[in-house]
């Protein structure tokens, strides 16, 4: 079996992190080749997700110095998940196996050896799973772990504490590409593929340079996509809540009639509460309707503007 590896790295405004990350990735690639875990044609594929800083210039000079740096440049910022998928698609058509990793190298590159060994044993997907969240603030850890639990409770199949540090064989990527949805939540979609899978633990560090490119808005979008992409349970829960509320209101009215009391104040307050609930319910339903609209339009996920191969 050929074992051409593509390390896929989405990059958005990473002019600070890339110069630090690139040599580390290259050294890792060489070590993997020396250990016989990756073939000589292996590449580091940098995907510029429409950066507004000098990221593309950094990428070009990396490629000029070493042709093992390949690159794709998207026509505009399409977000991490789209950029990653663009890279995976290219990797699957040029190599045998890919490993995706963030440009800030928060994920330990040394977990790649174990991932590739698992692949050699016949696994098509190997999830990088962080063993500790020591480097996260309490708030981040609390919300992130709570979110994984929420998704699981809603019936979504996600690997606990796995983000997008993952090995995928080319046939697993091909399977992923058959999923037509536009709102991507890759870590929720990949487990639906099947095949033989494994997990590899590693410790996640801090970003090596620059600031997080995941704005609160981007993070919320991803989180909401995760729920709506994996489960229709929230809509059902809303229907349940509505039924419960209706029953409670009916009971209250009966009690008020029996008591003959003028509970005007109570009624006013509960009207506000009911209005809030209705709006919340509408919002959740609207979220799904919005997604249906997006999917029906079926717009292209990305356009590639430049390639360095
Ligand atoms: N990223 C991207 N497009 C975006 C935002 C982020 O390609 O619109 C990339 C970014 O360059 C990095 C990865 O996604 O390689 C994860 O981003 P970041 O490390 O900033 O997120 P965090 O670790 O803070 O959640
Ligand atoms: Mg990061």
């Amino acid at each position: 079996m050929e074992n051409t590896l593509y390390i896929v790295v989405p990059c958005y405004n990473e002019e600070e992190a890339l110069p630090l990350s690139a040599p580390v990735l290259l050294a890792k690639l060489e070590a993997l080749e020396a250990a016989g875990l990756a073939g000589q044609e292996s590449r580091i594929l940098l995907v510029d997700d429409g950066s507004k800083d000098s990221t593309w210039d950094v990428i070009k000079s990396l490629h000029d110095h070493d042709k093992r740096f390949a690159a794709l440049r998207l026509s505009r910022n399409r977000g991490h998940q789209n950029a990653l998928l663009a890279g995976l698609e290219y990797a699957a058509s040029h190599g045998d196996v890919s490993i995706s990793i963030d440009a800030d190298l928060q994920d330990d590159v040394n977990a790649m050896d174990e991932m590739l060994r698992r692949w050699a044993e016949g696994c098509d997907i190997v999830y990088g799973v962080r063993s500790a969240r020591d480097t996260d603030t309490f708030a981040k850890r609390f919300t992130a772990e709570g979110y994984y639990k929420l998704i699981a409770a809603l019936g979504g199949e996600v690997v606990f504490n796995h983000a997008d540090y993952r090995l995928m064989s080319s046939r697993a990527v091909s399977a992923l590409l058959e999923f037509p949805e536009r709102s991507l939540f890759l870590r929720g979609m990949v487990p639906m593929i099947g095949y033989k899978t494994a997990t590899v633990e590693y410790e996640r560090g801090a970003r090596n340079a620059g600031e997080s490119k995941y704005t609160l808005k981007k993070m919320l979008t991803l989180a909401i996509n995760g729920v709506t992409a994996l489960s229709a349970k929230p809509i059902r829960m809303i229907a349940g809540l509505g039924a419960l509320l209706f029953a409670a209101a009916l009971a209250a009215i009966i009690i008020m009639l029996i008591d003959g009391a003028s509970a005007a104040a109570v009624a006013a307050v509960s009207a506000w509460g009911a209005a809030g609930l209705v709006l919340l319910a509408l919002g959740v339903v609207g979220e799904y309707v919005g997604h249906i609209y997006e999917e029906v339009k079926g717009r292209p996920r990305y356009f590639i503007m430049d390639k360095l191969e």
Side-chain angles (χ1 to χ4, degrees), residues 10 12 14 49 77 80 103-104 106 204 207 212-213 218:
Y12 178 58
E14 297 287 8
D49 182 20
N77 182 229
H80 172 229
D104 56 3
Q106 279 188 274
R204 190 165 151 108
R207 171 174 264 281
S212 174
K213 313 300 173 211
K218 280 184 171 159

Side-chain angles (χ1 to χ4, degrees), residues 77-99:
N77 182 229
R78 292 291 296 129
H80 172 229
Q81 300 284 295
N82 283 304
L84 181 52
L85 195 66
L88 291 177
E89 182 168 10
Y90 182 91
S93 64
H94 289 74
D96 306 299
V97 63
S98 63
I99 296 178

Side-chain angles (χ1 to χ4, degrees), residues 14-58:
E14 297 287 8
E15 63 181 8
E16 288 167 294
L18 254 190
L20 300 177
S21 305
V24 177
L25 287 168
L26 195 60
K28 188 70 223 175
L29 190 69
E30 282 169 356
L32 292 171
E33 285 174 6
L37 291 167
Q40 298 298 315
E41 292 300 303
S42 298
R43 297 282 180 272
I44 296 162
L45 179 66
L46 306 169
V47 184
D48 181 1
D49 182 20
S51 295
K52 293 172 179 71
D53 65 358
S54 66
T55 297
W56 185 247
D57 295 326
V58 174

Side-chain angles (χ1 to χ4, degrees), residues 230-278:
L230 294 177
S231 165
K233 264 195 194 170
I235 290 189
R236 239 168 285 148
M237 280 157 59
I238 279 175
L241 194 66
L244 203 74
L245 218 67
F246 181 71
L250 211 64
I253 288 169
I254 291 169
I255 290 168
M256 275 161 69
L257 284 178
I258 294 171
D259 280 4
S262 76
V266 180
V269 170
S270 58
W272 279 102
L277 267 176
V278 170

Side-chain angles (χ1 to χ4, degrees), residues 3 17 28 105 113 150 193 266 279:
N3 53 350
K28 188 70 223 175
L105 296 193
D113 304 63
L150 170 73
I193 297 173
V266 180
L279 283 180

